[in-house]
Amino acid sequence: MNRAAKNVEPRILRLEVSGSPGRLDSYIVSRCAGLSRSFVEKLFEQGRVRLNGMLVKPGLRPKRGDAVEVTLPPPPQSSLIPQDLPLDIVYEDSEVLVVNKPAGMVVYPAAGHPDRTLLNAVLHHCPELTSTADSLRPGIVHRLDKDTSGLMVVAKNNHARENLVGQFRARAVQKEYLVLVKGRLSPQEGIIEAPLGRHPSQRQRIAVVRSGREARTRYRVRQYLGDFTLLEVVLETGRTHQIRVHMAAIGFPVVGDSVYGAGSPYLSRQFLHAFRLGFRLPSSGEYREFTVGLPDELERALKAITGNV
C-alpha cells in the first residue's frame, strides 16, 4: 500500500513578500524548496497562484508585504511509493540524512521518471517522511541533476526542513564540486558572474541572459591534466545547470556534457561530482562537513582521458 496516499488534499503555501523579490514566479521558486521553475509555471497556468487574493501573471513584480498564496495539487499517489533501492548513507541522525547520490538517479518523481528515484529510496528508509508538511517532495531541500553524482542532505522532519531551507536561503551551505573541463583554465582561481535564465529559443536549456537571475560560481584549479583541467568549484548561488552553463560560457566546457559541453568517448554523463557538503546540523547547530571521493566511472574516465591507464 502507498503510505503517501493518505494525503490527497491540496496543500496551500502562504508567503509574505520580503526583500527585493523581482518576478513573482522566480520569487516562489527561491522561497519554496523543491518546486522547480517549470512546475511553478504550471501552477500559474492552472490558476493556483494568487497575490493579495487575486489571480496574477508570473512576470508580475510583487511589493514588500504582499501576500502570496500557492495551492499545490496533491502528488500523484503512484509517485511516492517507498521502494527498496540502494542508498549510500554517509551520515544520519534523528533530523537529517546525508546521502551519496549516484549518477543516473533522478532526485524525485517527475514526468518521465515516475519512480525508482532517490526520494522513493529515502521513503523506504524513512517512512515517517510521509507525515511531514511537504507532501509533494518530502524531505527534499535541494537537488542534483540526474547525471550529477555526489552529496545531498535530506530533512527527516518539519523542523529540519525549515532549518535547512533557511540555511540554503542564507547561502550558508557549502557545496563544492569536482569538475573536469576541456582546456587549460587560467587564472588558477576565479569567480564567474553571469545571470542565468531560460534559453530564449530552446526552453529546455539554460543560458546566460541579461534578464536572468544572479549566478556566481567560484573555481580553483586542482590539477592540469594535458589539455584538461580538474577544478574544485564552489556554488555561491544554486541555479539550474549553473556549473555546466558557466563553464561553457567562458570556453571551458564540462567533459562528458552532451548538452552544453564536450562529449567524451569515455563518459556517458558529465564529469561533475558534488564531493563536499557543509551545513549546520539542525539538531545541535554544529557545523559539519562531509566529503566523498570520485565514483568508479569518473576515476576510470579520468585515467583514460589523461592517458594514465
Side-chain angles (χ1 to χ4, degrees):
M1 178 181 176
N2 179 3
R3 280 173 278 194
K6 61 184 179 181
N7 194 345
V8 296
E9 294 297 322
R11 187 164 65 90
I12 299 177
L13 302 178
R14 293 182 173 86
L15 308 170
E16 181 177 326
V17 176
S18 59
S20 301
R23 287 173 56 104
L24 181 57
D25 53 356
S26 298
Y27 183 72
I28 292 171
V29 172
S30 68
R31 288 288 306 275
C32 301
L35 298 190
S36 68
R37 184 173 295 276
S38 60
F39 183 77
V40 170
E41 288 175 0
K42 292 179 181 178
L43 294 178
F44 275 96
E45 292 171 1
Q46 296 168 1
R48 293 179 177 271
V49 179
R50 292 178 179 269
L51 184 71
N52 300 324
M54 303 291 291
L55 291 175
V56 291
K57 295 183 179 181
L60 184 143
R61 294 178 179 268
K63 301 184 295 294
R64 184 192 299 267
D66 281 349
V68 180
E69 185 176 280
V70 181
T71 302
L72 299 177
Q77 295 184 8
S78 60
S79 297
L80 297 180
I81 299 173
Q83 292 177 303
D84 188 6
L85 304 172
L87 197 60
D88 184 359
I89 298 173
V90 176
Y91 171 82
E92 182 175 12
D93 63 21
S94 61
E95 303 232 342
V96 300
L97 188 68
V98 177
V99 299
N100 183 17
K101 185 190 85 69
M105 176 177 268
V106 175
V107 172
Y108 44 72
H113 302 281
D115 59 8
R116 301 192 67 79
T117 69
L118 180 72
L119 180 54
N120 294 111
V122 169
L123 288 172
H124 183 271
H125 182 76
C126 305
E128 65 273 15
L129 274 177
T130 57
S131 63
T132 61
D134 186 355
S135 61
L136 188 69
R137 293 165 185 166
I140 303 300
V141 294
H142 68 128
R143 62 181 290 274
L144 294 175
D145 292 339
K146 174 188 174 184
D147 291 325
T148 297
S149 56
L151 292 168
M152 289 186 59
V153 59
V154 178
K156 294 174 69 174
N157 55 46
N158 294 330
H159 169 262
R161 183 182 184 280
E162 292 303 314
N163 183 286
L164 290 170
V165 167
Q167 291 188 56
F168 275 101
R169 189 177 298 145
R171 299 180 182 175
V173 178
Q174 180 83 356
K175 298 175 288 183
E176 194 163 357
Y177 297 74
L178 285 174
V179 185
L180 186 69
V181 298
K182 184 74 168 62
R184 294 177 64 87
L185 179 54
S186 180
Q188 293 192 10
E189 294 187 22
I191 296 177
I192 305 167
E193 295 184 86
L196 299 179
R198 289 289 170 186
H199 192 285
S201 60
Q202 302 175 49
R203 301 299 293 171
Q204 298 304 311
R205 298 182 58 165
I206 305 298
V208 174
V209 292
R210 183 174 299 179
S211 60
R213 301 173 69 195
E214 174 198 12
R216 287 168 54 91
T217 302
R218 181 157 45 93
Y219 73 84
R220 182 175 70 84
V221 172
R222 173 181 278 203
Q223 189 177 6
Y224 289 116
L225 300 163
D227 193 32
F228 299 88
T229 308
L230 185 62
L231 301 173
E232 295 178 0
V233 176
V234 174
L235 287 182
E236 296 190 0
T237 55
R239 310 305 180 205
T240 300
H241 300 176
Q242 178 173 321
I243 294 175
R244 298 159 63 192
V245 177
H246 269 177
M247 299 315 301
I250 64 170
F252 293 86
V254 176
V255 173
D257 181 2
S258 60
V259 178
Y260 306 103
S264 169
Y266 306 108
L267 275 172
S268 59
R269 57 100 161 189
Q270 63 259 18
F271 197 115
L272 191 55
H273 177 65
F275 81 102
R276 179 177 288 126
L277 180 67
F279 59 93
R280 294 193 178 277
L281 297 175
S283 58
S284 64
E286 175 191 3
Y287 181 78
R288 292 284 302 274
E289 277 194 358
F290 305 93
T291 59
V292 289
L294 286 173
D296 290 343
E297 72 270 15
L298 293 189
E299 287 281 13
R300 290 192 298 268
L302 197 60
K303 291 178 180 179
I305 288 171
T306 60
N308 297 319
V309 179

